Amino acid sequence: MVKVVLNTDIKKGKINKNIYGNFAEHLGRCIYGGFWVGKDSEIPNVDGIRKDVIDALKELKIPVLRWPGGCFADEYHWQDGIGPYETRPRMVNVHWGGTVENNHFGTHEFFKLCELLETEPYICGNVGSGTVMEMRQWIEYMTFDGESPMANLRAENGRKEPWKLTYFGVGNENWGCGGNMRPEYYADLYRRYSSYVRNFNGNSIFKIACGPNNDDYNWTEVLMKQAGRFIDGLSLHYYTVPGNTWENKGSATEFTEKEWFDTMKKTLRMNELLTRHSDIMDRYDPLKRVALIVDEWGTWFDVEPGTNPGFLYQQNTMRDAVVAAVNFNIFHEHCDRVRMANIAQAINVLQAVILTEGSKMILTPTYHVFNMYKVHQDAELLSLNVETPEYNYENESIPQVTATASVDNEGKIHISLCNLSPLKAAEIKCDIRGSKKTTVKGTILTADEMNAHNTFDEAENVTLKAFDGAVISEDELTASLPPMSVVTLELI
Ligand code: AHR
């Protein structure tokens, strides 16, 4: 039995909607084939952007989209991606398969995409191989309103009005693909580059510094100490990578219970990382002005057999869905510090919410979890105490159930519960304190097999269903969660 106490009158902070952000890199088929097909494509599109993808992502209310990388960002020279297509240089995408990047998707196309999705752009600038001047001019190009070389160039390229840009990253993984820097060196570069990320005409930019990889606590320490007062957000990258080595992460679809358990154990580590990085940040920033931005997270498995290893294309199963829910529950718990997260990546790459193949598109189990959890966007986190049995595998154990609850601005209460065990159901008994609720309704995502997934032939194998396994009576909610399930309930 899982014993839960929900205090509907104890609020613990706002769940920033940006936790439900996505990430789109020039990698494999994320941009080209995923978002972008070009204006002349037979695939229905709006100014070159796939219509089916726009409709599917709008349904999720994606609040923010990070672009153009990733490792690609520190190789990207934005001036290559503006002007007539025929004059845009063709370059090699060195990080991701050595393919030709024709630069047809650039700044104007990205802002158009954000406009169509009604999402906030989050642009990552080039510190690793770009100049301060280049970064400064990009900001001027995007946001300056008036007479200036970059504003004039933007107008020549068909856009008179500046765009509104809030989120800007000063480099990506500068401890690795973004220049292999030491934190002391990057902290100084951050101070210098970010000085020229100007606020033109009242546009106010939220500056995001490259933060740590996984448990590199020294990186956080040095950045906060040497540059903290210039930083609005510090990024963290943590991927759920099962297996013992990068060469052997295991298949996305063919895996054992051991690999399922290992994946869950590794994904739960997100909580420890957020706690420990936040503790360091608290010492330099006790008022929590600086946000922790998990701008790359998700599962990373071996690529699908026969696909380009540089494209990071993987299928997405019920295991990914549970991973997504577990991470959302953790992000909510850290909502005082974690104010944005961006799953890697939106389409056709790593833990994608959408997969495409030519003109076909499917929604992954992860997509359905985003859909189910959107009710928590910008809601107030509620106090929820969960006493759960453990899920044991060999000599190790993890919690069988994780959960979260929130109240939105219309007073609607939502509880999301996730059963991590692929074998055992979970019986939930929840005391509801602080208000009277009489009705419950909900949705569920579950499957009979750990590796259940959607394919281009069977697109609805794993999909949201109405959930009728919950009952409310006398301030008590009971529910029965099938093995490997994610449920969101609304209490009325
Ligand atoms: O998301 C794939 C890659 O993972 C990104 O380009 C990089 O930032 C990270 O190492």
Side-chain angles (χ1 to χ4, degrees):
M1 177 68 70
V2 183
K3 289 193 203 148
V4 181
V5 177
L6 168 66
N7 293 295
T8 63
D9 53 351
I10 304 182
K11 294 179 180 167
K12 294 175 66 186
K14 184 171 160 182
I15 298 166
N16 196 311
K17 66 176 179 192
N18 288 338
I19 281 170
Y20 292 89
N22 263 245
F23 169 36
E25 179 167 9
H26 289 238
L27 194 178
R29 296 186 299 113
C30 183
I31 297 292
Y32 299 107
F35 283 105
W36 179 258
V37 285
K39 294 175 187 164
D40 299 331
S41 173
E42 285 177 358
I43 298 174
N45 67 83
V46 181
D47 292 346
I49 301 165
R50 287 179 77 123
K51 212 173 157 323
D52 51 358
V53 161
I54 297 166
D55 293 343
L57 288 179
K58 267 186 89 169
E59 172 69 19
L60 293 190
K61 298 190 192 305
I62 296 290
V64 61
L65 185 64
R66 179 175 185 247
W67 173 83
C71 295
F72 183 81
D74 284 271
E75 295 269 351
Y76 184 60
H77 301 284
W78 67 271
Q79 295 226 17
D80 292 347
I82 55 171
Y85 292 136
E86 48 297 352
T87 62
R88 297 189 192 184
R90 290 160 69 82
M91 61 183 263
V92 55
N93 190 335
V94 284
H95 287 289
W96 307 119
T99 51
V100 173
E101 161 66 57
N102 65 14
N103 278 302
H104 283 192
F105 190 91
T107 304
H108 291 250
E109 291 75 18
F110 176 63
F111 275 99
K112 180 73 193 175
L113 169 62
C114 291
E115 185 190 310
L116 292 169
L117 295 179
E118 295 171 21
T119 195
E120 287 263 358
Y122 165 15
I123 288 190
C124 187
N126 180 346
V127 172
S129 71
T131 62
V132 177
M133 185 172 175
E134 189 180 349
M135 186 176 285
R136 190 217 169 276
Q137 287 181 328
W138 199 7
I139 300 292
E140 181 185 319
Y141 186 88
M142 294 185 282
T143 64
F144 185 74
D145 190 8
E147 180 73 26
S148 87
M150 291 302 113
N152 292 349
L153 183 59
R154 185 185 68 230
E156 275 170 36
N157 288 330
R159 173 84 189 192
K160 177 90 184 71
E161 297 298 307
W163 291 286
K164 179 177 168 289
L165 175 69
T166 303
Y167 302 105
F168 191 82
V170 181
N172 168 75
E173 295 197 352
N174 302 96
W175 37 260
C177 62
N180 286 308
M181 301 173 195
R182 293 171 303 113
E184 294 78 7
Y185 179 67
Y186 172 74
D188 280 344
L189 280 190
Y190 175 83
R191 291 170 63 124
R192 179 167 172 233
Y193 276 68
S194 64
S195 302
Y196 298 91
V197 176
R198 304 256 185 236
N199 289 328
F200 292 117
N201 308 102
N203 183 64
S204 175
I205 295 191
F206 184 97
K207 298 174 194 173
I208 299 171
C210 163
N213 185 30
N214 303 343
D215 57 0
D216 185 352
Y217 299 115
N218 181 51
W219 186 278
T220 301
E221 182 86 39
V222 173
L223 260 286
M224 289 303 291
K225 188 168 177 185
Q226 297 193 355
R229 68 196 168 94
F230 303 102
I231 297 175
D232 297 315
L234 185 70
S235 78
L236 165 71
H237 289 183
Y238 176 59
Y239 284 96
T240 298
V241 189
N244 296 325
T245 60
W246 270 95
E247 287 67 46
N248 183 18
K249 299 177 284 297
S251 157
T253 52
E254 301 303 317
F255 54 87
T256 59
E257 189 195 346
K258 183 175 173 33
E259 289 170 278
W260 170 286
F261 183 88
D262 191 33
T263 306
M264 295 305 147
K265 194 178 80 181
K266 287 190 168 147
T267 221
L268 282 161
R269 186 154 183 249
M270 182 66 90
N271 186 45
E272 176 195 326
L273 297 175
L274 296 180
T275 305
R276 295 187 64 181
H277 285 295
S278 297
D279 283 351
I280 296 168
M281 293 173 80
D282 283 350
R283 280 198 270 114
Y284 296 96
D285 175 36
L287 297 181
K288 300 183 192 290
R289 184 190 63 78
V290 182
L292 189 54
I293 307 275
V294 192
D295 57 17
E296 288 188 29
W297 69 275
T299 54
W300 194 322
F301 303 122
D302 293 340
V303 296
E304 287 304 305
T307 64
N308 187 328
F311 283 13
L312 310 185
Y313 177 74
Q314 64 190 41
Q315 249 293 359
N316 195 289
T317 68
M318 194 59 218
R319 175 171 61 161
D320 295 84
V322 174
V323 163
V326 166
N327 278 280
F328 289 145
N329 294 349
I330 294 171
F331 295 153
H332 288 189
E333 222 35 60
H334 289 271
C335 65
D336 59 339
R337 186 66 89 175
V338 177
R339 301 202 279 273
M340 190 196 291
N342 308 75
I343 195 168
Q345 298 192 6
I347 311 181
N348 294 331
V349 171
L350 299 176
Q351 193 178 347
V353 297
I354 286 177
L355 301 177
T356 65
E357 204 176 80
S359 63
K360 294 185 187 164
M361 179 197 80
I362 53 173
L363 309 176
T364 67
T366 299
Y367 174 97
H368 294 301
V369 176
F370 268 80
N371 205 4
M372 190 188 251
Y373 269 66
K374 69 187 177 195
V375 291
H376 297 295
Q377 290 191 14
D378 275 348
E380 291 281 338
L381 182 70
L382 290 174
S383 150
L384 188 77
N385 187 56
V386 181
E387 260 180 60
T388 171
E390 291 186 330
Y391 164 28
N392 302 306
Y393 186 83
E394 293 178 345
N395 297 325
E396 296 187 285
S397 59
I398 56 174
Q400 187 190 347
V401 168
T402 78
T404 190
S406 71
V407 57
D408 69 13
N409 59 11
E410 290 171 10
K412 286 189 202 147
I413 291 176
H414 295 100
I415 309 183
S416 293
L417 299 139
C418 176
N419 183 358
L420 282 66
S421 168
L423 302 175
K424 284 193 187 155
E427 301 307 323
I428 312 285
K429 194 158 144 337
C430 172
D431 282 353
I432 304 170
R433 299 183 184 164
S435 63
K436 194 121 200 98
K437 300 288 164 194
T438 53
T439 313
V440 59
K441 60 179 187 177
T443 46
I444 183 167
L445 191 75
T446 190
D448 293 335
E449 306 289 340
M450 293 187 290
N451 67 348
H453 58 278
N454 297 330
T455 65
F456 292 95
D457 295 327
E458 289 183 78
E460 306 268 305
N461 274 340
V462 186
T463 191
L464 292 184
K465 305 242 162 60
F467 179 64
D468 54 11
V471 177
I472 285 195
S473 77
E474 307 265 323
D475 304 332
E476 188 178 274
L477 168 78
T478 53
S480 181
L481 305 185
M484 47 186 169
S485 60
V486 184
V487 165
T488 293
L489 303 173
E490 183 180 330
L491 308 187
I492 304 156

